[in-house]
Short mmCIF file of all heavy atoms in Angstrom, two decimals:
data_model
loop_
_atom_site.label_atom_id
_atom_site.label_comp_id
_atom_site.label_asym_id
_atom_site.label_seq_id
_atom_site.Cartn_x
_atom_site.Cartn_y
_atom_site.Cartn_z
N ALA A 27 119.85 142.26 63.18
CA ALA A 27 118.74 143.15 63.23
C ALA A 27 117.54 142.56 63.98
O ALA A 27 116.60 143.30 64.24
CB ALA A 27 118.33 143.53 61.85
N ARG A 28 117.63 141.33 64.36
CA ARG A 28 116.45 140.67 65.01
C ARG A 28 116.49 140.93 66.52
O ARG A 28 117.52 140.85 67.14
CB ARG A 28 116.46 139.16 64.71
CG ARG A 28 116.31 138.87 63.25
CD ARG A 28 116.23 137.44 63.01
NE ARG A 28 114.87 136.98 63.25
CZ ARG A 28 114.36 135.86 62.75
NH1 ARG A 28 115.10 135.06 62.02
NH2 ARG A 28 113.14 135.55 63.01
N GLN A 29 115.35 141.22 67.03
CA GLN A 29 115.24 141.48 68.48
C GLN A 29 114.97 140.18 69.19
O GLN A 29 114.07 139.43 68.85
CB GLN A 29 114.09 142.45 68.73
CG GLN A 29 113.88 142.75 70.20
CD GLN A 29 112.73 143.72 70.43
OE1 GLN A 29 112.09 144.20 69.50
NE2 GLN A 29 112.48 143.99 71.70
N GLN A 30 115.78 139.87 70.14
CA GLN A 30 115.69 138.62 70.89
C GLN A 30 114.52 138.71 71.90
O GLN A 30 114.26 139.74 72.48
CB GLN A 30 116.96 138.26 71.65
CG GLN A 30 118.12 138.01 70.70
CD GLN A 30 117.85 136.83 69.80
OE1 GLN A 30 117.50 135.77 70.30
NE2 GLN A 30 118.08 136.96 68.54
N LEU A 31 113.82 137.59 72.10
CA LEU A 31 112.74 137.53 73.09
C LEU A 31 113.28 137.24 74.47
O LEU A 31 114.37 136.62 74.61
CB LEU A 31 111.75 136.46 72.71
CG LEU A 31 111.03 136.59 71.39
CD1 LEU A 31 110.21 135.36 71.05
CD2 LEU A 31 110.13 137.84 71.37
N GLU A 32 112.53 137.57 75.45
CA GLU A 32 112.85 137.18 76.82
C GLU A 32 112.67 135.68 76.86
O GLU A 32 111.88 135.11 76.21
CB GLU A 32 111.85 137.83 77.80
CG GLU A 32 112.00 139.36 77.86
CD GLU A 32 113.26 139.79 78.51
OE1 GLU A 32 113.76 139.10 79.44
OE2 GLU A 32 113.83 140.77 78.07
N PRO A 33 113.46 134.99 77.73
CA PRO A 33 113.37 133.52 77.80
C PRO A 33 111.98 133.02 78.08
O PRO A 33 111.51 132.05 77.46
CB PRO A 33 114.34 133.19 78.97
CG PRO A 33 115.31 134.30 78.95
CD PRO A 33 114.56 135.52 78.56
N ALA A 34 111.24 133.68 78.97
CA ALA A 34 109.89 133.22 79.25
C ALA A 34 108.97 133.34 78.01
O ALA A 34 108.13 132.52 77.76
CB ALA A 34 109.30 133.99 80.40
N ALA A 35 109.14 134.44 77.29
CA ALA A 35 108.33 134.68 76.10
C ALA A 35 108.65 133.64 75.00
O ALA A 35 107.77 133.11 74.33
CB ALA A 35 108.54 136.08 75.54
N ALA A 36 109.95 133.33 74.87
CA ALA A 36 110.38 132.34 73.88
C ALA A 36 109.83 130.99 74.26
O ALA A 36 109.33 130.22 73.40
CB ALA A 36 111.90 132.29 73.82
N ASP A 37 109.85 130.65 75.58
CA ASP A 37 109.32 129.35 76.00
C ASP A 37 107.79 129.29 75.76
O ASP A 37 107.26 128.27 75.31
CB ASP A 37 109.57 129.16 77.50
CG ASP A 37 111.04 128.89 77.82
OD1 ASP A 37 111.80 128.54 76.86
OD2 ASP A 37 111.44 129.00 78.98
N GLY A 38 107.09 130.37 75.97
CA GLY A 38 105.67 130.40 75.75
C GLY A 38 105.33 130.25 74.25
O GLY A 38 104.41 129.55 73.87
N LEU A 39 106.15 130.89 73.40
CA LEU A 39 105.98 130.79 71.95
C LEU A 39 106.20 129.33 71.50
O LEU A 39 105.50 128.83 70.66
CB LEU A 39 106.90 131.75 71.27
CG LEU A 39 106.64 132.07 69.78
CD1 LEU A 39 105.23 132.55 69.59
CD2 LEU A 39 107.65 133.10 69.30
N ARG A 40 107.27 128.73 72.05
CA ARG A 40 107.53 127.33 71.70
C ARG A 40 106.38 126.40 72.11
O ARG A 40 105.99 125.48 71.41
CB ARG A 40 108.82 126.85 72.33
CG ARG A 40 110.06 127.41 71.65
CD ARG A 40 111.36 126.79 72.27
NE ARG A 40 112.48 127.57 71.89
CZ ARG A 40 112.99 128.57 72.59
NH1 ARG A 40 112.54 128.82 73.81
NH2 ARG A 40 114.05 129.22 72.16
N ALA A 41 105.83 126.65 73.30
CA ALA A 41 104.69 125.84 73.81
C ALA A 41 103.49 126.01 72.87
O ALA A 41 102.81 125.05 72.57
CB ALA A 41 104.38 126.23 75.25
N TYR A 42 103.25 127.27 72.47
CA TYR A 42 102.12 127.54 71.53
C TYR A 42 102.35 126.82 70.20
O TYR A 42 101.41 126.23 69.68
CB TYR A 42 101.95 129.03 71.37
CG TYR A 42 100.92 129.39 70.38
CD1 TYR A 42 99.54 129.27 70.67
CD2 TYR A 42 101.24 129.80 69.08
CE1 TYR A 42 98.56 129.56 69.78
CE2 TYR A 42 100.23 130.11 68.15
CZ TYR A 42 98.90 130.01 68.50
OH TYR A 42 97.93 130.30 67.59
N ALA A 43 103.54 126.86 69.72
CA ALA A 43 103.89 126.18 68.47
C ALA A 43 103.66 124.65 68.60
O ALA A 43 103.12 124.03 67.71
CB ALA A 43 105.30 126.47 68.05
N ALA A 44 104.03 124.08 69.75
CA ALA A 44 103.87 122.69 69.96
C ALA A 44 102.38 122.30 70.01
O ALA A 44 101.94 121.29 69.40
CB ALA A 44 104.56 122.23 71.21
N ARG A 45 101.53 123.15 70.67
CA ARG A 45 100.11 122.86 70.76
C ARG A 45 99.45 122.98 69.35
O ARG A 45 98.62 122.17 68.99
CB ARG A 45 99.42 123.84 71.71
CG ARG A 45 99.69 123.55 73.18
CD ARG A 45 98.85 124.37 74.12
NE ARG A 45 98.83 125.77 73.79
CZ ARG A 45 99.66 126.71 74.32
NH1 ARG A 45 100.60 126.32 75.15
NH2 ARG A 45 99.55 127.96 74.00
N THR A 46 99.91 123.96 68.62
CA THR A 46 99.36 124.19 67.27
C THR A 46 99.75 123.00 66.36
O THR A 46 98.93 122.51 65.63
CB THR A 46 99.92 125.51 66.69
OG1 THR A 46 99.53 126.56 67.53
CG2 THR A 46 99.34 125.76 65.30
N ARG A 47 100.99 122.56 66.46
CA ARG A 47 101.46 121.43 65.68
C ARG A 47 100.65 120.14 66.05
O ARG A 47 100.29 119.36 65.18
CB ARG A 47 102.94 121.22 65.91
CG ARG A 47 103.57 120.20 64.96
CD ARG A 47 105.09 120.15 65.12
NE ARG A 47 105.68 121.39 64.63
CZ ARG A 47 106.32 122.30 65.40
NH1 ARG A 47 106.49 122.06 66.66
NH2 ARG A 47 106.79 123.41 64.88
N GLU A 48 100.41 119.98 67.34
CA GLU A 48 99.67 118.79 67.76
C GLU A 48 98.22 118.82 67.24
O GLU A 48 97.73 117.84 66.76
CB GLU A 48 99.65 118.71 69.31
CG GLU A 48 98.90 117.54 69.88
CD GLU A 48 98.86 117.50 71.39
OE1 GLU A 48 99.65 118.29 72.03
OE2 GLU A 48 98.06 116.72 71.95
N SER A 49 97.56 120.00 67.28
CA SER A 49 96.22 120.13 66.75
C SER A 49 96.22 119.84 65.24
O SER A 49 95.31 119.20 64.75
CB SER A 49 95.71 121.53 67.02
OG SER A 49 95.50 121.75 68.39
N ALA A 50 97.21 120.38 64.56
CA ALA A 50 97.28 120.10 63.08
C ALA A 50 97.47 118.61 62.79
O ALA A 50 96.90 118.11 61.83
CB ALA A 50 98.40 120.96 62.47
N ASP A 51 98.27 117.97 63.62
CA ASP A 51 98.48 116.54 63.46
C ASP A 51 97.22 115.74 63.66
O ASP A 51 96.94 114.76 62.97
CB ASP A 51 99.62 116.03 64.35
CG ASP A 51 101.02 116.51 63.94
OD1 ASP A 51 101.17 116.96 62.79
OD2 ASP A 51 101.92 116.42 64.75
N GLN A 52 96.46 116.16 64.67
CA GLN A 52 95.18 115.45 64.97
C GLN A 52 94.19 115.66 63.78
O GLN A 52 93.56 114.70 63.35
CB GLN A 52 94.56 115.98 66.23
CG GLN A 52 95.31 115.56 67.47
CD GLN A 52 94.75 116.21 68.75
OE1 GLN A 52 93.85 117.06 68.71
NE2 GLN A 52 95.33 115.80 69.86
N LEU A 53 94.10 116.85 63.27
CA LEU A 53 93.24 117.12 62.13
C LEU A 53 93.70 116.33 60.93
O LEU A 53 92.86 115.71 60.25
CB LEU A 53 93.21 118.62 61.80
CG LEU A 53 92.42 119.00 60.56
CD1 LEU A 53 90.97 118.60 60.68
CD2 LEU A 53 92.55 120.47 60.28
N ALA A 54 95.02 116.27 60.67
CA ALA A 54 95.49 115.51 59.51
C ALA A 54 95.16 114.05 59.67
O ALA A 54 94.78 113.38 58.68
CB ALA A 54 97.03 115.75 59.39
N ALA A 55 95.26 113.50 60.85
CA ALA A 55 94.93 112.09 61.11
C ALA A 55 93.47 111.82 60.80
O ALA A 55 93.12 110.81 60.20
CB ALA A 55 95.29 111.71 62.54
N VAL A 56 92.58 112.73 61.21
CA VAL A 56 91.15 112.56 60.93
C VAL A 56 90.91 112.58 59.46
O VAL A 56 90.15 111.74 58.88
CB VAL A 56 90.33 113.62 61.70
CG1 VAL A 56 88.90 113.61 61.20
CG2 VAL A 56 90.38 113.38 63.21
N LEU A 57 91.47 113.54 58.77
CA LEU A 57 91.27 113.65 57.33
C LEU A 57 91.83 112.44 56.61
O LEU A 57 91.20 111.96 55.65
CB LEU A 57 91.93 114.97 56.80
CG LEU A 57 91.31 116.25 57.33
CD1 LEU A 57 92.09 117.43 56.83
CD2 LEU A 57 89.84 116.35 56.96
N GLU A 58 92.95 111.94 57.02
CA GLU A 58 93.52 110.73 56.39
C GLU A 58 92.63 109.53 56.62
O GLU A 58 92.45 108.70 55.71
CB GLU A 58 94.94 110.46 56.92
CG GLU A 58 95.96 111.46 56.45
CD GLU A 58 97.29 111.37 57.14
OE1 GLU A 58 97.42 110.62 58.14
OE2 GLU A 58 98.22 112.02 56.68
N ASP A 59 92.05 109.41 57.83
CA ASP A 59 91.09 108.33 58.10
C ASP A 59 89.87 108.43 57.22
O ASP A 59 89.42 107.40 56.66
CB ASP A 59 90.70 108.35 59.59
CG ASP A 59 89.73 107.24 59.93
OD1 ASP A 59 90.13 106.06 59.92
OD2 ASP A 59 88.56 107.54 60.19
N ILE A 60 89.33 109.62 57.07
CA ILE A 60 88.20 109.76 56.19
C ILE A 60 88.54 109.43 54.72
O ILE A 60 87.76 108.76 54.06
CB ILE A 60 87.63 111.21 56.27
CG1 ILE A 60 87.00 111.43 57.66
CG2 ILE A 60 86.60 111.51 55.18
CD1 ILE A 60 86.63 112.90 57.94
N ALA A 61 89.73 109.87 54.29
CA ALA A 61 90.14 109.54 52.93
C ALA A 61 90.27 108.05 52.75
O ALA A 61 89.91 107.48 51.66
CB ALA A 61 91.47 110.24 52.60
N ALA A 62 90.81 107.32 53.75
CA ALA A 62 91.03 105.89 53.60
C ALA A 62 89.75 105.09 53.79
O ALA A 62 89.56 104.07 53.13
CB ALA A 62 92.08 105.45 54.65
N ASN A 63 88.86 105.52 54.70
CA ASN A 63 87.72 104.69 55.10
C ASN A 63 86.38 105.30 54.78
O ASN A 63 85.34 104.67 55.05
CB ASN A 63 87.79 104.41 56.60
CG ASN A 63 89.09 103.76 56.97
OD1 ASN A 63 89.45 102.72 56.41
ND2 ASN A 63 89.83 104.32 57.93
N GLY A 64 86.34 106.50 54.30
CA GLY A 64 85.08 107.16 54.03
C GLY A 64 84.51 107.87 55.24
O GLY A 64 85.10 107.84 56.29
N LEU A 65 83.37 108.52 55.08
CA LEU A 65 82.77 109.26 56.16
C LEU A 65 82.15 108.28 57.20
O LEU A 65 81.66 107.21 56.79
CB LEU A 65 81.65 110.17 55.62
CG LEU A 65 82.17 111.38 54.78
CD1 LEU A 65 80.99 112.08 54.11
CD2 LEU A 65 82.94 112.34 55.67
N PRO A 66 82.13 108.64 58.46
CA PRO A 66 81.54 107.78 59.46
C PRO A 66 80.00 107.80 59.27
O PRO A 66 79.40 108.70 58.72
CB PRO A 66 81.93 108.41 60.80
CG PRO A 66 82.30 109.81 60.48
CD PRO A 66 82.75 109.84 59.05
N ALA A 67 79.35 106.76 59.85
CA ALA A 67 77.90 106.71 59.81
C ALA A 67 77.32 107.85 60.66
O ALA A 67 77.91 108.26 61.64
CB ALA A 67 77.43 105.37 60.40
N VAL A 68 76.19 108.35 60.21
CA VAL A 68 75.53 109.46 60.87
C VAL A 68 75.26 109.12 62.36
O VAL A 68 75.42 109.94 63.25
CB VAL A 68 74.22 109.85 60.17
CG1 VAL A 68 73.44 110.88 60.97
CG2 VAL A 68 74.50 110.32 58.78
N GLU A 69 74.93 107.89 62.63
CA GLU A 69 74.66 107.46 64.00
C GLU A 69 75.84 107.55 64.91
O GLU A 69 75.71 107.68 66.11
CB GLU A 69 74.11 105.99 64.05
CG GLU A 69 72.84 105.81 63.25
CD GLU A 69 73.13 105.60 61.75
OE1 GLU A 69 74.17 105.13 61.33
OE2 GLU A 69 72.23 106.03 60.98
N ASP A 70 77.03 107.54 64.32
CA ASP A 70 78.29 107.61 65.09
C ASP A 70 78.79 109.02 65.28
O ASP A 70 79.83 109.21 65.95
CB ASP A 70 79.38 106.75 64.41
CG ASP A 70 79.02 105.28 64.37
OD1 ASP A 70 78.27 104.81 65.22
OD2 ASP A 70 79.54 104.59 63.46
N CYS A 71 78.09 110.00 64.73
CA CYS A 71 78.52 111.38 64.79
C CYS A 71 77.79 112.17 65.86
O CYS A 71 76.69 111.81 66.24
CB CYS A 71 78.29 112.04 63.43
SG CYS A 71 79.30 111.29 62.11
N THR A 72 78.46 113.23 66.35
CA THR A 72 77.84 114.12 67.31
C THR A 72 77.28 115.35 66.52
O THR A 72 78.02 115.95 65.72
CB THR A 72 78.92 114.58 68.32
OG1 THR A 72 79.50 113.45 68.92
CG2 THR A 72 78.30 115.48 69.37
N PRO A 73 76.06 115.71 66.76
CA PRO A 73 75.49 116.89 66.05
C PRO A 73 76.30 118.12 66.36
O PRO A 73 76.81 118.31 67.48
CB PRO A 73 74.06 116.99 66.60
CG PRO A 73 73.76 115.65 67.18
CD PRO A 73 75.04 115.08 67.65
N TRP A 74 76.41 119.03 65.39
CA TRP A 74 77.26 120.22 65.56
C TRP A 74 76.68 121.12 66.66
O TRP A 74 77.47 121.77 67.38
CB TRP A 74 77.41 120.99 64.27
CG TRP A 74 76.15 121.71 63.77
CD1 TRP A 74 75.16 121.19 62.96
CD2 TRP A 74 75.75 123.02 64.14
NE1 TRP A 74 74.23 122.13 62.78
CE2 TRP A 74 74.52 123.26 63.49
CE3 TRP A 74 76.29 123.99 64.94
CZ2 TRP A 74 73.85 124.46 63.60
CZ3 TRP A 74 75.60 125.18 65.09
CH2 TRP A 74 74.38 125.42 64.39
N GLU A 75 75.37 121.12 66.85
CA GLU A 75 74.83 121.92 67.93
C GLU A 75 75.30 121.50 69.29
O GLU A 75 75.58 122.29 70.16
CB GLU A 75 73.22 121.84 67.90
CG GLU A 75 72.62 122.41 66.66
CD GLU A 75 72.41 121.35 65.59
OE1 GLU A 75 72.96 120.25 65.71
OE2 GLU A 75 71.72 121.67 64.60
N GLU A 76 75.41 120.18 69.47
CA GLU A 76 75.94 119.66 70.76
C GLU A 76 77.40 120.03 70.96
O GLU A 76 77.81 120.41 72.05
CB GLU A 76 75.72 118.14 70.75
CG GLU A 76 75.94 117.51 72.09
CD GLU A 76 75.60 116.02 72.04
OE1 GLU A 76 74.57 115.62 71.44
OE2 GLU A 76 76.41 115.24 72.59
N LEU A 77 78.13 119.93 69.86
CA LEU A 77 79.57 120.32 69.96
C LEU A 77 79.72 121.77 70.26
O LEU A 77 80.54 122.20 71.08
CB LEU A 77 80.25 120.00 68.60
CG LEU A 77 80.40 118.50 68.25
CD1 LEU A 77 80.90 118.40 66.83
CD2 LEU A 77 81.26 117.78 69.24
#
Side-chain angles (χ1 to χ4, degrees):
R28 296 184 83 159
Q29 181 180 358
Q30 296 297 312
L31 298 174
E32 294 291 324
D37 290 343
L39 194 55
R40 285 185 196 95
Y42 176 74
R45 288 190 309 271
T46 302
R47 188 173 293 115
E48 182 180 347
S49 294
D51 288 345
Q52 289 175 355
L53 175 60
V56 168
L57 296 175
E58 288 170 351
D59 179 69
I60 291 171
N63 303 306
L65 292 170
V68 173
E69 300 81 30
D70 297 334
C71 296
T72 305
W74 72 269
E75 296 92 348
E76 193 175 315
L77 295 172

